[in-house]
Amino acid sequence: MPSATRKPQSRRAARREAIRDRLLEVVQRLLDDGESFTEISVERMVQEAGMSRSTYYVYFEDKGDLLRAWFGEIESEIAAAVSGWWEIDADSSREDLRAALARVVEVYHPHAPLMAATYDAAEYDPSVRELVNAMMGANIASLRKHIRNGQAAGFIDPDLPPAETAQWLTWMAERAFHVFLRGLRPAQLRTQIDAYTAIVWNTLYAPVRTGA
Amino acid sequence: MPSATRKPQSRRAARREAIRDRLLEVVQRLLDDGESFTEISVERMVQEAGMSRSTYYVYFEDKGDLLRAWFGEIESEIAAAVSGWWEIDADSSREDLRAALARVVEVYHPHAPLMAATYDAAEYDPSVRELVNAMMGANIASLRKHIRNGQAAGFIDPDLPPAETAQWLTWMAERAFHVFLRGLRPAQLRTQIDAYTAIVWNTLYAPVRTGA
DNA sequence: GGTTGATCGTACAGTATGTCCGGACACTAT
DNA sequence: ATAGTGTCCGGACATACTGTACGATCAACC
């Protein structure tokens, strides 16, 4: 009998992580082959990972649980990358912005397929939807705050409506990351980052620079 | 017996349209209640429209066929609205741009729920996916051409990479229309159109104006 | 050698999709 | 009136996927 003090949860949690990673690898591969998460059945997933379906349901509540387990871990990594943007201020150059946005793209890029799967699953799985909405909400709120600060400090176009502009720009990035940056080779990202930088720079920061 | 010269297809086609509209009304209502198209079963749809499930399959191939039938008709309406944007040139004011974009938003807005459903169904229905990709591709190509023309004519920032910028801006609009403009009352659209105009104006046209 | 934990196979209920068919009903031409 | 035609309904069916349950198996470990 295992002692009551030795928590039995930790072994199980570790096992869950191992299985999760094994499955995510399979899912990633199937996604790269052009299938959507909705089209991938648990049976298929589990079979290609060499595991029985019943084992899956030992560790995961349902199909979406796999993505939820992954999302929780990745979220902070993304948030850390994005936070570099908020350090842009009156003293920053366009190159500084480019570096900050490039970092976001580069951190996001390897996770694009699974991220897209998560946004896909959000369409029919309410608990995934909640996660996704929370993340987007947080990102939008951060950018809105940055815009407000920048307007107060005079380095962001004062004519922009902060909340709405934050919404448009944040969702723009979301689509870009999931739809057309996905699958690009790192070298091909350069021009995409150029375009992203140009849009953000021209929209937010350029108007008050050329004017000054 | 109906004469062989009197095409029996026309009656059927008309009937199909009538049924399609009846069903789309139901779907629209369910979507407005916060459900996603994936979550709505044919059974439910058909039942709330007071029709049998077998009748549905007389007129439609599968679940996605309903959306495909609708999408074909609506596409040209959208395309017509967007084409106003391409008339912006060196002589146009920011107000002209705003009017053009406002028209796009206003034409799109009432169709937002069904459009979102179509983009949702694209995740698991390949033939819907094809339609959606074709439309986005066409829109992106139009904007890319506009950017190229504008750069040649000197009224659009020459530093922008045309293809990539077109991609980012087009997908930005897609998300906006489907995700957060959806459900807004017409009066609430004003500030959103302001933000949209500001982003497009600052990105494309403003840089070469303040500079000149 | 017996206990434990992890996994497997299988079976089951529930739900959805798409197909098929027989019957009911109305309209219409003869 | 009646037979043909178009339209719809209800139900049955095959298939597929989800999530749950349970007994069997196998390896590790005291």
Side-chain angles (χ1 to χ4, degrees):
Chain A
M1 177 181 66
S3 81
T5 53
R6 218 230 254 153
K7 48 192 173 182
Q9 296 295 14
S10 73
R11 295 192 135 287
R12 191 187 147 83
R15 197 78 197 95
R16 180 176 139 110
E17 275 191 38
I19 287 185
R20 184 197 66 189
D21 292 343
R22 183 143 61 108
L23 288 171
L24 287 175
E25 248 177 75
V26 169
V27 170
Q28 188 113 18
R29 187 165 50 74
L30 295 176
L31 291 174
D32 287 343
D33 287 353
E35 304 188 61
S36 72
F37 186 70
T38 315
E39 291 166 329
I40 302 170
S41 69
V42 175
E43 175 61 47
R44 176 104 168 287
M45 218 167 80
V46 117
Q47 177 210 318
E48 302 218 19
M51 168 189 325
S52 101
R53 205 163 64 88
S54 39
T55 302
Y56 178 90
Y57 285 102
V58 168
Y59 293 101
F60 304 98
E61 293 278 325
D62 51 35
K63 195 180 160 189
D65 202 13
L66 181 66
L67 292 177
R68 292 198 296 273
W70 168 81
F71 193 78
E73 279 205 354
I74 221 64
E75 210 179 351
S76 54
E77 191 189 337
I78 307 284
V82 179
S83 71
W85 185 353
W86 315 144
E87 287 161 22
I88 299 293
D89 60 17
D91 300 329
S92 307
S93 67
R94 177 167 169 156
E95 273 316 301
D96 293 333
L97 176 67
R98 192 186 192 282
L101 296 183
R103 184 158 152 62
V104 176
V105 169
E106 278 149 17
V107 168
Y108 219 110
H109 188 250
H111 306 304
L114 283 175
M115 269 290 174
T118 308
Y119 277 75
D120 172 3
E123 286 300 331
Y124 59 89
D125 185 326
S127 63
V128 173
R129 183 152 48 211
E130 224 175 300
L131 282 185
V132 162
N133 286 342
M135 191 200 196
M136 284 308 292
N139 285 342
I140 290 168
S142 299
L143 179 52
R144 185 187 56 210
K145 192 175 147 198
H146 175 71
I147 291 175
R148 285 226 178 89
N149 290 344
Q151 289 176 329
F155 64 87
I156 285 184
D157 184 352
D159 292 337
L160 299 172
E164 289 79 3
T165 306
Q167 255 185 323
W168 286 78
L169 290 180
T170 306
W171 280 108
M172 172 181 75
E174 184 270 336
R175 276 295 95 169
F177 295 166
H178 300 158
V179 178
F180 58 90
L181 260 51
R182 179 180 160 181
L184 292 188
R185 312 196 44 181
Q188 302 174 295
L189 288 179
R190 240 198 48 245
T191 331
Q192 296 290 355
I193 295 171
D194 287 341
Y196 188 25
T197 305
I199 292 170
V200 172
W201 180 260
N202 284 0
T203 297
L204 302 181
Y205 311 102
V208 291
R209 307 247 165 173
T210 55
Chain B
M1 179 181 66
S3 81
T5 53
R6 219 230 254 152
K7 48 192 175 183
Q9 296 295 15
S10 72
R11 293 191 136 290
R12 192 187 146 83
R15 196 79 197 93
R16 180 175 139 110
E17 276 192 36
I19 287 184
R20 183 198 64 189
D21 292 343
R22 184 143 59 108
L23 287 171
L24 287 175
E25 249 177 76
V26 168
V27 170
Q28 187 112 21
R29 187 165 50 72
L30 294 177
L31 291 173
D32 287 344
D33 288 354
E35 307 188 60
S36 73
F37 187 69
T38 315
E39 291 166 330
I40 302 172
S41 70
V42 175
E43 175 61 47
R44 177 105 169 284
M45 218 167 78
V46 117
Q47 178 209 319
E48 303 218 18
M51 166 188 330
S52 102
R53 205 164 63 88
S54 40
T55 301
Y56 178 90
Y57 284 103
V58 168
Y59 293 100
F60 303 99
E61 293 280 324
D62 51 35
K63 197 181 162 190
D65 202 15
L66 181 67
L67 292 178
R68 291 198 296 274
W70 168 80
F71 193 78
E73 280 205 353
I74 221 66
E75 210 179 349
S76 54
E77 191 189 336
I78 307 286
V82 180
S83 73
W85 184 354
W86 315 143
E87 287 161 22
I88 298 293
D89 60 18
D91 299 330
S92 307
S93 67
R94 178 169 168 154
E95 271 317 301
D96 294 332
L97 176 67
R98 193 187 192 281
L101 296 183
R103 184 160 152 60
V104 176
V105 169
E106 278 149 19
V107 168
Y108 219 110
H109 188 250
H111 306 305
L114 283 175
M115 269 291 173
T118 308
Y119 277 74
D120 172 1
E123 286 299 330
Y124 59 89
D125 184 326
S127 63
V128 173
R129 184 153 48 211
E130 224 176 302
L131 281 184
V132 162
N133 286 343
M135 191 200 196
M136 285 308 292
N139 285 341
I140 290 168
S142 298
L143 179 52
R144 185 186 56 210
K145 192 175 147 197
H146 175 71
I147 292 175
R148 285 227 178 90
N149 291 343
Q151 289 176 328
F155 63 86
I156 285 182
D157 184 352
D159 291 338
L160 299 172
E164 289 78 5
T165 307
Q167 257 184 322
W168 286 77
L169 290 179
T170 306
W171 280 107
M172 172 181 76
E174 184 269 338
R175 275 295 96 167
F177 294 165
H178 300 159
V179 178
F180 58 89
L181 261 51
R182 179 179 162 183
L184 292 189
R185 312 197 45 184
Q188 302 173 294
L189 289 178
R190 241 200 45 246
T191 331
Q192 296 289 356
I193 295 172
D194 287 341
Y196 187 25
T197 304
I199 293 170
V200 172
W201 180 261
N202 284 2
T203 297
L204 302 180
Y205 311 105
V208 291
R209 308 245 165 176
T210 54

